[in-house]
């Protein structure tokens, strides 16, 4: 649970970064990105601890496998958010910027990712206690993932339009940042799917 909560904190900080970009508070944005990096390192350490705990063989093999996948998927969300934030760091350090419409789409993606992580954390809390809630939350994550896909393609479109008048470095960072955020959304969806599998398999009963 602590691991998922650290990932949640990581994703919440990403929302702050985009709010700071909108207000042109670049120094604070850089400081917030450093916090994201630290949170992601903390998540990695917790992931290693969980992997060691799961591998001790206290649970059936199929449950162990699903738990490994859940932990890796959740951690992957933090990794992708960190990658996106590092791109923003590069952008600021090189004294470049994205058009506001691209920042807005990326901001929307960060909010959708955070909402998804919150739901995944809730699913973990309900695991083994309330199967119906786990299933309900999983469908909510799916809806958010579909919404993120739509926003991603809008961000991608605007990034390609940007290519007509901006240098290639800015276009690359815009595309890569949007894709990283979409990957984070996909990671949340994967984690929710694994949690759903555990519930529907009936292995916890």
């Amino acid at each position: 649970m602590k691991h998922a909560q650290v990932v949640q904190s990581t994703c919440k900080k990403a929302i702050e970064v985009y709010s700071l970009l909108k207000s042109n508070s670049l120094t604070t944005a850089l400081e917030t990105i450093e916090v994201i990096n630290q949170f992601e390192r903390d998540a990695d350490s917790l992931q290693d601890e969980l992997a060691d705990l799961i591998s001790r063989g206290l649970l059936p093999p199929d449950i162990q496998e699903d738990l490994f996948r859940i932990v890796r998927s959740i951690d992957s969300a933090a990794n992708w958010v960190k990658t996106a934030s590092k791109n923003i760091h590069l952008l600021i350090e090189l004294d470049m910027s994205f058009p506001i419409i691209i920042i807005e789409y990326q901001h929307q993606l960060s909010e959708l990712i955070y909402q998804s992580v919150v739901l995944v954390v809730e699913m973990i809390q309900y695991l083994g206690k309330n199967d119906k809630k786990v299933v309900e939350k999983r469908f909510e994550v799916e809806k958010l993932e579909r919404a993120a896909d739509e926003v991603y393609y809008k961000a991608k479109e605007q990034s390609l339009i940007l290519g007509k008048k901006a240098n290639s470095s800015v276009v690359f960072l815009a595309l890569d940042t949007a894709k990283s955020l979409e990957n984070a959304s996909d990671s949340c969806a994967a984690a929710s799917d694994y949690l759903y599998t555990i519930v529907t398999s009936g292995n916890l009963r």
Side-chain angles (χ1 to χ4, degrees):
M1 175 59 70
K2 186 176 180 182
H3 172 254
Q5 289 172 335
V6 171
V7 172
Q8 181 177 322
S9 297
T10 305
C11 296
K12 187 174 184 179
K13 283 294 177 183
I15 298 174
E16 291 182 28
V17 169
Y18 286 105
S19 296
L20 291 165
L21 285 179
K22 286 180 178 180
S23 64
N24 204 36
S25 304
L26 302 185
T27 300
T28 309
L30 289 173
E31 292 170 352
T32 305
I33 289 169
E34 287 305 313
V35 174
I36 289 174
N37 292 337
Q38 182 57 58
F39 279 165
E40 193 275 333
R41 287 192 291 270
D42 292 343
D44 280 346
S45 296
L46 289 167
Q47 177 190 223
D48 292 341
E49 291 177 15
L50 282 170
D52 178 65
L53 181 63
I54 294 168
S55 66
R56 293 179 187 176
L58 302 176
L59 296 167
D62 50 348
I63 292 292
Q64 286 186 53
E65 185 177 352
D66 283 334
L67 290 176
F68 271 124
R69 288 173 174 170
I70 291 165
V71 171
R72 284 190 174 277
S73 296
I74 295 171
D75 197 72
S76 181
N79 289 338
W80 285 117
V81 165
K82 181 192 71 174
T83 298
S85 70
K86 282 192 168 185
N87 284 345
I88 300 299
H89 189 282
L90 276 174
L91 193 77
I92 296 171
E93 287 294 311
L94 296 173
D95 196 26
M96 299 188 295
S97 62
F98 292 150
I100 187 62
I101 190 169
I102 290 178
I103 293 174
E104 179 57 42
Y105 283 139
Q106 292 180 5
H107 194 178
Q108 289 178 28
L109 281 169
S110 68
E111 290 175 331
L112 290 167
I113 292 162
Y114 176 69
Q115 292 171 37
S116 294
V117 173
V118 169
L119 288 170
V120 170
V121 170
E122 291 177 358
M123 289 176 74
I124 293 170
Q125 291 172 330
Y126 285 123
L127 194 63
K129 301 175 183 176
N130 190 326
D131 290 356
K132 183 179 178 181
K133 285 290 185 181
V134 173
V135 173
E136 288 175 357
K137 300 297 178 183
R138 185 249 187 168
F139 286 120
E140 289 180 43
V141 173
E142 281 191 339
K143 289 179 183 178
L144 290 171
E145 195 269 335
R146 293 191 195 104
D149 280 346
E150 292 180 10
V151 176
Y152 164 65
Y153 282 108
K154 290 177 183 177
K156 184 178 179 179
E157 179 184 33
Q158 289 300 320
S159 299
L160 292 172
I161 291 172
L162 177 64
K164 297 178 180 179
K165 52 187 175 181
N167 69 57
S168 58
S169 297
V170 174
V171 177
F172 170 79
L173 286 173
L175 288 169
D176 192 61
T177 303
K179 183 58 180 174
S180 296
L181 292 170
E182 196 231 0
N183 286 343
S185 174
D186 289 345
S187 296
C188 293
S192 74
D193 285 344
Y194 293 132
L195 286 159
Y196 176 78
T197 299
I198 289 177
V199 167
T200 55
S201 68
N203 286 332
L204 289 181
R205 296 191 182 97

